[in-house]
Amino acid sequence: MDTTRNRLIRILQDHKTSYISGQNLSEQLGISRAAVWKHMKALEADGYEIDAVPRKGYQVRRSPDKLSKNTLNWQLDTEWIGRKIIFEEELDSTQILAKSLADQGAVHGTVVIADQQTSGKGTKGRSWHSPAGTGIWMSLIIRPEFGPREAAQLTLAAAVAITRVFRQNDIDAAIKWPNDIYLGGKKLAGILTEMQAEQDYIQHIVLGIGININQTVSEIDPDIRKKATSLRIETDKEWKRQELIHLIWKEFEDVYSLYINKGFLDIRDEWMQYALRLGHRVKAATPSAVFEAVFRGIGEDGELILENDDGSTQRLYSAELKWKEE
């Protein structure tokens, strides 16, 4: 929904280097000057630094680093992702709320995002430690134009989009099949895809994304400290979460458009460029066996391709990879 606050934010963005009068804002927004002033005070309470100069008007000097619905709308440059944002300071799980909203008809591109999760969801029923102020915890509602068979490919596409953003920022992240993102040999981000579908029709997909951004070593859960990391730990600097979120949304739109218009093959090729331990010996665990093989990449459906010791190839749609030394 295009709220007055969102429209105000976009107008202020267009005047980042100049002042705009209260009267001008009043006319564009169709509200009183007193209402404009109240909106400005609400933005200041959210951390915006606003100059208000008599006879000149208003100008935003600085937007805050904190996450909020207002800051997520600031400088938003997407076509459909995030045009509807549900932000909460604290949720049990963005995935749980997003699934509920999707069942109620939430539109394509709706994002549920929290500063903190108390019961974050990972893959295979695992929990995801999601402390306040440190990471990106969000779920994206998608109403796709393809069938259930292709849903797994969307998870791989999301991993490509996120890894693109990291690589563009000189972060040498890599993807562990199918959708975990690693940095410095440890897990940095995870993607969880949950689907509501009929036999040949997807009602919705909820794509959950968790990324460790600004945790210090002491803020990583001790139980996973040997396996998990954050951008701050690996790069020795703090990152603006809002900027990374916008970049991820933008790249995902690009990858999604590529997928819809050209299919999976180009995305598969890019996924292979980012693949972790491609050509290396790995351990694969399936419900029926644990064995070693050489990781040769992914197939046209996104399935895992392994080469056995006898040179034969097997393709797996469900398995957990581990490194030989683990």
Side-chain angles (χ1 to χ4, degrees), residues 181-217:
I181 298 173
Y182 271 56
L183 182 62
K186 296 182 178 181
K187 186 172 178 177
L188 176 68
I191 301 168
L192 173 63
T193 302
E194 295 181 288
M195 175 175 61
Q196 183 69 35
E198 300 172 13
Q199 184 172 357
D200 58 355
Y201 170 72
I202 296 177
Q203 295 175 354
H204 63 254
I205 290 173
V206 178
L207 191 70
I209 297 171
I211 310 174
N212 296 331
I213 304 296
N214 286 323
Q215 292 97 326
T216 62
V217 172

Side-chain angles (χ1 to χ4, degrees), residues 195-244:
M195 175 175 61
Q196 183 69 35
E198 300 172 13
Q199 184 172 357
D200 58 355
Y201 170 72
I202 296 177
Q203 295 175 354
H204 63 254
I205 290 173
V206 178
L207 191 70
I209 297 171
I211 310 174
N212 296 331
I213 304 296
N214 286 323
Q215 292 97 326
T216 62
V217 172
S218 64
E219 290 171 321
I220 298 287
D221 189 325
D223 292 339
I224 59 172
R225 203 167 285 168
K226 292 183 179 180
K227 297 180 180 180
T229 192
S230 74
L231 282 186
R232 182 175 179 180
I233 292 169
E234 299 299 327
T235 64
D236 198 30
K237 74 172 189 177
E238 291 193 49
W239 293 79
K240 290 186 177 182
R241 292 178 294 160
Q242 173 210 353
E243 293 180 0
L244 290 172

Side-chain angles (χ1 to χ4, degrees), residues 9-25:
I9 286 172
R10 285 201 295 273
I11 294 169
L12 292 171
Q13 286 176 188
D14 293 337
H15 291 80
K16 286 184 291 187
T17 60
S18 61
Y19 288 86
I20 182 169
S21 71
Q23 182 62 36
N24 192 335
L25 288 171

Side-chain angles (χ1 to χ4, degrees), residues 174-311:
I175 306 171
K176 179 182 178 182
W177 189 86
N179 52 15
D180 286 338
I181 298 173
Y182 271 56
L183 182 62
K186 296 182 178 181
K187 186 172 178 177
L188 176 68
I191 301 168
L192 173 63
T193 302
E194 295 181 288
M195 175 175 61
Q196 183 69 35
E198 300 172 13
Q199 184 172 357
D200 58 355
Y201 170 72
I202 296 177
Q203 295 175 354
H204 63 254
I205 290 173
V206 178
L207 191 70
I209 297 171
I211 310 174
N212 296 331
I213 304 296
N214 286 323
Q215 292 97 326
T216 62
V217 172
S218 64
E219 290 171 321
I220 298 287
D221 189 325
D223 292 339
I224 59 172
R225 203 167 285 168
K226 292 183 179 180
K227 297 180 180 180
T229 192
S230 74
L231 282 186
R232 182 175 179 180
I233 292 169
E234 299 299 327
T235 64
D236 198 30
K237 74 172 189 177
E238 291 193 49
W239 293 79
K240 290 186 177 182
R241 292 178 294 160
Q242 173 210 353
E243 293 180 0
L244 290 172
I245 289 167
H246 283 177
L247 290 171
I248 289 168
W249 291 353
K250 194 71 173 174
E251 287 298 333
F252 184 80
E253 281 193 346
D254 180 67
V255 171
Y256 188 84
S257 177
L258 177 64
Y259 180 72
I260 294 299
N261 292 315
K262 297 186 66 177
F264 182 62
L265 291 184
D266 286 348
I267 295 170
R268 182 193 67 171
D269 291 344
E270 187 172 356
W271 192 101
M272 296 272 278
Q273 295 175 29
Y274 304 147
L276 190 62
R277 299 295 182 93
L278 185 65
H280 288 253
R281 196 169 183 81
V282 298
K283 286 192 293 188
T286 70
S288 59
V290 177
F291 59 93
E292 293 185 9
V294 176
F295 173 38
R296 292 300 184 195
I298 59 176
E300 294 183 2
D301 293 329
E303 74 276 19
L304 176 67
I305 300 176
L306 298 174
E307 182 182 325
N308 299 315
D309 290 341
D310 62 3

Side-chain angles (χ1 to χ4, degrees), residues 36-37 46 105 124 143 145 159 183 211 251 255 305:
V36 169
W37 181 83
D46 223 1
K124 300 184 184 300
R143 298 191 181 277
E145 303 168 14
L183 182 62
I211 310 174
E251 287 298 333
V255 171
I305 300 176

